[in-house]
Amino acid sequence: MKLPRPFDRLSARMLDAAMCGMMFAVQRRHRLDDGSREALSRYIDTCLPLSREEYYRVVPAEIAATNGALPSALTWASPITSGYRENDRVYALHFPAAAKDAPTILFLHALMSASDRGYRRWAARYNELGWGACFVHLPYHYSRVPRGYQNGELAVTADLVRNAEGVRQSVMEMRQLMAWLRAGGVREFGLWATSYGGWIGALLASVERDFRFVALLEPIVNVEHAIWQSPASAGLRRELRRAGIEPDLPARHFPLSSPLHGQPLCGGERVLLAAGEYDTIAPVADIARLQTLWPGSTLLREPQGHFGYRLMPAAWDWLSANGWLAV
């Protein structure tokens, strides 16, 4: 029996608040030093002359694949050196299709994603339809967590330079993976990206065009809101203000790092946006704004907060009903 929407709203807000409280506790561990504002300003000044194509440039990679049991593990050196040995090695699970030229779905997980079990199940469903699949460990997550830190802890903190470089690292690594898959015969991709992964996916779609579809589930699209209004960033925000960093400084980087400042090269008609009606972290109004900026894109809404399980099945059903999953 479906619960009434007032209960949906209350439970969604309670769950989002609990998760934001956990993030606040994690963010408080990371303090900025006296030179942080100047370091951020220098970084942005260095980036300003670059186009998105230059900022997220493709760097040749030597990707090694394990043989034997499936999924196979793909590993390679990251094109960006972060200073953390674990994070500078990329890791992905590859669930190949029977046909080498079959399309491949790319999964980009959420911030602090706790388990890959659900993605393995979705990969199996795509395999059943003839698709290949790849699940990538984003920077500072899973196999890439530096010793002494929690899963995803270093991906989003008050260190905005590290945050930006982590997003940049993600996009560049995905482009390397796509190039490797193309060399093996893949000509078409799908993108299934959630929350933090949706932010990265939106940026990836602005520099790569070979997507049959792009499905962004509760993506972080408004970087200004993510920093200065989101309940998930309360600890980060307090530290930025203590260091004298005001909104106009990071805003100078948004042409490179904000989904609202780019367009999907595959065309908006190939984009599915999915939002939770009660989401306070990736508000439905921001995702609706992206839909307006990406003409032809579709917006799904489900009665959940940022942390919920309705959107993935809804997105699958929509993609299936509209023929995007047929091989």
Side-chain angles (χ1 to χ4, degrees):
M1 178 175 132
K2 185 178 173 75
L3 295 172
R5 290 209 168 190
F7 183 86
D8 288 342
R9 182 182 293 107
L10 176 62
S11 61
R13 293 291 169 84
M14 291 176 64
L15 180 56
D16 280 7
M19 297 301 290
C20 289
M22 180 195 71
M23 292 180 184
F24 177 80
V26 170
Q27 289 168 8
R28 287 190 65 185
R29 297 176 55 181
H30 300 278
R31 304 296 297 272
L32 296 176
D33 59 34
D34 293 340
S36 294
R37 189 188 188 285
E38 180 59 29
L40 176 60
S41 182
R42 286 197 307 270
Y43 176 77
I44 294 173
D45 287 342
T46 301
C47 297
L48 282 178
L50 303 177
S51 66
R52 281 202 180 190
E53 180 60 36
E54 291 168 333
Y55 185 69
Y56 300 112
R57 67 190 182 280
V58 181
V59 177
E62 295 184 7
I63 298 180
T66 60
N67 296 318
L70 297 178
S72 61
L74 308 179
T75 61
W76 68 99
S78 176
I80 289 182
T81 301
S82 68
Y84 294 97
R85 177 182 54 83
E86 299 91 340
N87 186 56
D88 292 343
R89 192 76 189 167
V90 193
Y91 184 92
L93 293 176
H94 184 211
F95 305 78
K100 290 186 177 181
D101 61 349
T104 294
I105 187 75
L106 306 174
F107 293 114
L108 299 181
H109 60 74
L111 182 70
M112 295 183 169
S113 174
S115 171
D116 66 1
R117 285 178 294 182
Y119 289 101
R120 287 174 180 265
R121 288 195 292 268
W122 284 111
R125 294 186 71 174
Y126 274 98
N127 280 164
E128 289 172 359
L129 295 180
W131 285 68
C134 281
F135 175 76
V136 183
H137 293 184
L138 296 178
Y140 305 108
H141 290 80
Y142 291 102
S143 64
R144 304 177 67 176
V145 180
R147 184 180 299 275
Y149 295 97
Q150 297 181 35
N151 184 38
E153 177 179 349
L154 294 178
V156 176
T157 69
D159 186 342
L160 298 185
V161 174
R162 184 169 60 210
N163 295 356
E165 283 292 275
V167 170
R168 183 186 194 186
Q169 189 175 27
S170 300
V171 175
M172 293 175 69
E173 291 166 359
M174 292 305 301
R175 300 191 76 182
Q176 290 177 317
L177 176 60
M178 292 175 71
W180 182 83
L181 290 166
R182 286 190 190 100
V186 176
R187 292 293 175 265
E188 197 174 27
F189 300 89
L191 185 60
W192 182 284
T194 304
S195 187
Y196 176 74
W199 177 8
I200 293 163
L203 298 174
L204 178 64
S206 73
V207 291
E208 291 283 352
R209 67 175 65 252
D210 294 337
F211 286 112
R212 177 184 293 192
F213 66 83
V214 172
L216 305 179
L217 283 59
E218 297 181 308
I220 305 300
V221 300
N222 185 344
V223 181
E224 182 177 19
H225 174 274
I227 297 173
W228 301 108
Q229 286 90 41
S230 172
S233 302
L236 175 160
R237 193 156 52 243
R238 187 171 71 173
E239 186 63 13
L240 291 177
R241 288 172 175 153
R242 188 191 65 80
I245 297 173
E246 296 300 328
D248 60 338
L249 178 54
R252 296 169 59 212
H253 195 262
F254 291 172
L256 295 174
S257 57
S258 171
L260 297 175
H261 289 69
Q263 288 286 321
L265 296 186
C266 63
E269 66 279 359
R270 294 179 178 270
V271 176
L272 173 65
L273 304 171
E277 291 179 357
Y278 315 130
D279 192 339
T280 57
I281 297 172
V284 64
D286 286 342
I287 299 175
R289 180 182 172 194
L290 185 68
Q291 183 196 20
T292 301
L293 294 172
W294 291 7
S297 59
T298 297
L299 175 60
L300 292 181
R301 304 178 186 221
E302 286 291 324
Q304 69 169 61
H306 195 70
F307 302 94
Y309 298 96
R310 297 177 188 261
L311 287 176
M312 282 193 174
W316 173 273
D317 290 344
W318 188 92
L319 291 168
S320 180
N322 285 274
W324 294 111
L325 303 181
V327 174

